[in-house]
């Protein structure tokens, strides 16, 4: 019976050695997996370092962009002031245009009055031209009559001279 116990213990020992060998292999495999994971973690660490550098660079770029945005804000404020100034200039120009509009209305009224006066003046001028033509005709008639009177007077003088000479 001791032999059977020894054989059983020997069988258990062999079984345990076999299981221990398998367990040792598994531990060795896990060790290599741990080494691989360690390498991956180291690679990820360097990648994290690179990403950290990129993030830092982006931070400085963001700071630069922020400065540019601030500068643009001041430029926008300046442009806003210019637009406000132009608005007041437009208001002044609008007032001038309104004033010119009323001046144009007044000038139009003056022109209409002058046009009416020109038409009245033309009518009077035409009437005077007609009267002058009429007077001219009458003067010609008077001259003709005067010429006839002179001819008759001359004839009468001639007749008187004949009558005086007959006496």
């Amino acid at each position: 019976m001791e032999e059977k116990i020894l054989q059983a213990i020997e069988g258990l020992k062999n079984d345990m050695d076999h299981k221990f060998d398998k367990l040792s292999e598994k531990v060795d495999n896990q060790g290599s997996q741990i080494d691989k994971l360690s390498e991956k973690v180291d690679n990820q660490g360097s990648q994290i370092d690179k990403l950290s550098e990129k993030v830092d660079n982006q931070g400085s770029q963001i700071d630069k962009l922020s400065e540019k945005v601030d500068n643009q804000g001041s430029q926008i404020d300046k442009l806003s002031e210019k637009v406000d100034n132009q608005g007041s200039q437009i208001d002044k120009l609008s007032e001038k245009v309104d004033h010119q509009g009323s001046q144009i209305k007044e000038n139009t009224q003056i022109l209409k009055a002058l046009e009416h006066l020109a038409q009245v003046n033309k009518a009077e001028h035409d009437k005077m031209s007609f009267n002058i033509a009429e007077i001219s005709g009458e003067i010609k008639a008077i001259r003709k009559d005067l010429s006839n009177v002179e001819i008759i007077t001359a004839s009468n003088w001639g007749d008187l001279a004949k009558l005086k000479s007959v006496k």
Side-chain angles (χ1 to χ4, degrees), residues 136-150:
S136 176
E138 288 177 6
I139 289 173
K140 285 180 184 176
I142 290 172
R143 280 187 184 162
K144 188 176 180 184
D145 289 343
L146 189 60
S147 291
N148 288 335
V149 168
E150 283 179 357

Side-chain angles (χ1 to χ4, degrees), residues 62-123:
I62 288 172
D63 290 341
K64 290 177 185 176
L65 287 174
S66 178
E67 288 176 22
K68 286 182 180 180
V69 167
D70 291 342
N71 289 338
Q72 287 177 345
S74 64
Q75 289 175 344
I76 288 171
D77 290 340
K78 291 176 184 176
L79 287 174
S80 177
E81 289 176 21
K82 287 181 180 180
V83 167
D84 290 342
N85 288 339
Q86 287 178 347
S88 64
Q89 288 175 347
I90 288 171
D91 290 340
K92 290 176 184 176
L93 288 174
S94 178
E95 288 176 18
K96 286 182 179 180
V97 167
D98 290 343
H99 177 70
Q100 288 176 349
S102 63
Q103 186 66 43
I104 287 171
K105 286 180 183 176
E106 183 179 333
N107 290 346
T108 302
Q109 290 173 349
I110 291 170
L111 284 174
K112 286 180 180 179
L114 287 174
E115 184 179 7
H116 177 72
L117 286 175
Q119 289 173 352
V120 168
N121 190 21
K122 184 181 182 316

Side-chain angles (χ1 to χ4, degrees), residues 125-136:
H125 186 270
D126 289 345
K127 184 179 177 185
M128 284 174 46
S129 291
F130 177 75
N131 288 339
I132 289 171
E134 188 178 356
I135 291 170
S136 176

Side-chain angles (χ1 to χ4, degrees), residues 52-66:
S52 177
E53 288 177 25
K54 287 183 180 179
V55 167
D56 290 341
N57 288 339
Q58 287 177 347
S60 65
Q61 288 175 345
I62 288 172
D63 290 341
K64 290 177 185 176
L65 287 174
S66 178

Side-chain angles (χ1 to χ4, degrees), residues 40-59:
K40 287 183 180 179
V41 167
D42 290 341
N43 287 340
Q44 287 177 347
S46 65
Q47 287 176 347
I48 288 172
D49 290 341
K50 290 177 185 176
L51 286 174
S52 177
E53 288 177 25
K54 287 183 180 179
V55 167
D56 290 341
N57 288 339
Q58 287 177 347

